[in-house]
């Protein structure tokens, strides 16, 4: 029990450090994509920059709008960070006995709760811009969560397990990404939309929504929402590598794809995004699941 507690605390500390330096990687990568220099003025090649950013954000004055709903306004960033860190309990240690038997089911339940944090942040701010951003983000997340579940269900049927350790072991023989490459590509698009990342970052449309659902947050509240977003990105990268390749190191490439897409692709139109979710991705994923699953079960 004590070893599990120590492993959990160590995992959380490493995730927070990983999020901090992933932001540095993002700024460096975007800089070189745009043929300029990234953060390089603080210390050695800008390595202390994430620590300086964290110190700046946490020491800022905490401002709560007078017309906001104070309790949910303060509690929502904390709850969002709690959900993001709770997902990492699926990877507590290298000991297989500590992995959750129903790990994927736990992931689907927690990821579904993330919708409520986005909606609560926009509603509690009592701002029309924040509420519009929250509604758009909620509709987008719910739409792509259906397709994400169907695609994930296909891979779960192939692995015949809900345990991530067993799924990784199944991929050691033949990576499931090679069995149906279009489905793997669809999965990458879905996780981009699910995490509200570019080119599907409609929750933070600065040009029309003034940063979206988190516009009224600053200092510690914004930091918690920011950490939760990047912790979810790293987790989705790790989940993707476990489910479709079985190689943990592949998660580094998936995380870089998030940055690559932001630097390369322009923002999508919202109506086209929703149309793709309900008229393209959902029918295709349903057709693949209902057509190929019986043959996989026979094998």
């Amino acid at each position: 029990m004590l070893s599990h507690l120590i492993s959990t605390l160590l995992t959380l500390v490493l995730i927070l450090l990983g999020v901090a330096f992933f932001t540095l990687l993002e700024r460096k990568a975007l800089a070189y994509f745009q043929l300029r220099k990234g953060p390089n003025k603080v210390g050695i090649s800008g390595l202390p920059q994430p620590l300086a950013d964290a110190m700046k954000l946490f020491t800022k004055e905490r401002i709560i709008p007078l017309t906001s709903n104070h309790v949910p306004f303060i509690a929502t960033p904390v709850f969002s960070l709690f959900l993001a860190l709770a997902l990492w309990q699926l990877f507590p240690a290298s000991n297989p006995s500590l992995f959750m038997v129903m790990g994927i089911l736990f992931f689907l339940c927690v990821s579904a709760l993330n919708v409520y944090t986005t909606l609560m942040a926009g509603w509690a701010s009592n701002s029309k811009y924040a509420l519009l951003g929250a509604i758009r983000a909620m509709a987008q997340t719910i739409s792509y969560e259906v397709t994400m579940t169907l695609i994930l269900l296909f891979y779960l049927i192939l692995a015949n397990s809900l345990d991530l350790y067993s799924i990784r072991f199944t991929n050691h023989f033949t990576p499931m990404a090679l069995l149906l490459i279009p489905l793997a590509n669809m999965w990458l698009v879905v996780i981009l939309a699910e995490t509200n990342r570019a080119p599907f970052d409609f929750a933070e449309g600065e040009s029309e929504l003034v940063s979206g659902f988190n516009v009224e947050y600053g200092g510690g509240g914004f930091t918690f929402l920011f950490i939760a977003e990047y912790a979810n990105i790293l987790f989705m990268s790790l989940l993707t590598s476990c489910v479709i390749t079985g190689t943990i190191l592949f998660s580094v490439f998936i995380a870089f794809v998030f940055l690559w897409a932001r630097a390369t692709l322009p923002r999508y139109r919202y109506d086209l995004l929703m149309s793709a979710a309900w008229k393209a991705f959902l029918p295709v994923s349903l057709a693949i699941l209902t057509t190929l699953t019986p043959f996989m079960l026979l094998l």
Side-chain angles (χ1 to χ4, degrees), residues 13-272:
V13 171
L14 293 177
I15 291 308
L16 293 177
L17 289 175
V19 167
F21 287 97
F22 184 68
T23 60
L24 178 64
L25 174 63
E26 180 177 30
R27 295 168 70 179
K28 290 275 190 180
L30 292 177
Y32 283 104
F33 272 117
Q34 298 165 358
L35 301 179
R36 59 182 177 83
K37 292 292 183 181
N40 61 352
K41 300 300 183 184
V42 182
I44 304 171
S45 299
L47 287 179
Q49 185 67 52
L51 305 178
D53 291 339
M55 183 180 299
K56 178 192 71 174
L57 287 171
F58 280 112
T59 54
K60 276 188 172 183
E61 181 183 2
R62 188 179 66 180
I63 299 175
I64 301 177
L66 292 176
T67 58
S68 66
N69 300 284
H70 290 186
V71 175
F73 183 83
I74 297 173
T76 299
V78 179
F79 185 58
S80 177
L81 181 60
F82 171 77
L83 291 179
L85 296 180
L87 286 175
W88 288 92
Q89 296 304 308
L90 296 176
F91 301 89
S94 58
N95 189 354
S97 64
L98 296 178
F99 281 75
M100 291 186 182
V101 178
M102 296 292 179
I104 297 297
L105 184 61
F106 176 77
F107 160 72
L108 293 176
C109 293
V110 174
S111 62
L113 290 176
N114 283 325
V115 180
Y116 294 97
T117 61
T118 303
L119 180 61
M120 188 63 67
W123 172 80
S125 299
N126 202 13
S127 167
K128 60 181 179 181
Y129 298 108
L131 185 59
L132 284 173
I135 292 174
R136 292 209 314 185
M138 182 183 64
Q140 174 182 336
T141 304
I142 291 175
S143 300
Y144 278 87
E145 194 167 347
V146 176
T147 304
M148 182 188 71
T149 304
L150 292 175
I151 297 175
L152 195 56
L153 186 60
F154 175 78
Y155 289 123
L156 294 180
I157 293 174
L158 291 181
N160 195 24
S161 175
L162 290 173
D163 180 13
L164 282 175
Y165 181 79
S166 302
I167 296 173
R168 282 187 58 205
F169 183 76
T170 305
N171 279 283
H172 287 172
F173 300 100
T174 301
M176 287 193 284
L178 299 179
L179 297 178
L180 206 60
I181 295 178
L183 193 66
N185 294 333
M186 191 186 303
W187 170 263
L188 292 177
V189 176
V190 166
I191 62 174
L192 282 174
E194 181 70 15
T195 53
N196 294 318
R197 291 287 295 182
F200 311 121
D201 54 337
F202 297 104
E204 299 179 3
E206 291 88 352
S207 58
E208 65 271 13
L209 289 176
V210 198
S211 190
F213 71 96
N214 57 5
V215 65
E216 300 293 343
Y217 284 95
F222 174 78
T223 306
F224 284 170
L225 293 173
F226 188 76
I227 294 175
E229 176 185 344
Y230 279 82
N232 286 327
I233 291 173
L234 293 179
F235 179 80
M236 294 302 292
S237 302
L238 191 58
L239 178 68
T240 302
S241 65
C242 289
V243 171
I244 69 175
T245 65
T247 305
I248 296 295
L249 293 178
F250 190 73
S251 61
V252 178
F253 173 74
I254 300 298
F256 186 74
V257 168
F258 280 87
L259 311 182
W260 195 351
R262 178 177 179 180
T264 307
L265 302 175
R267 180 177 291 162
Y268 212 52
R269 261 175 48 189
Y270 187 76
D271 59 321
L272 294 180

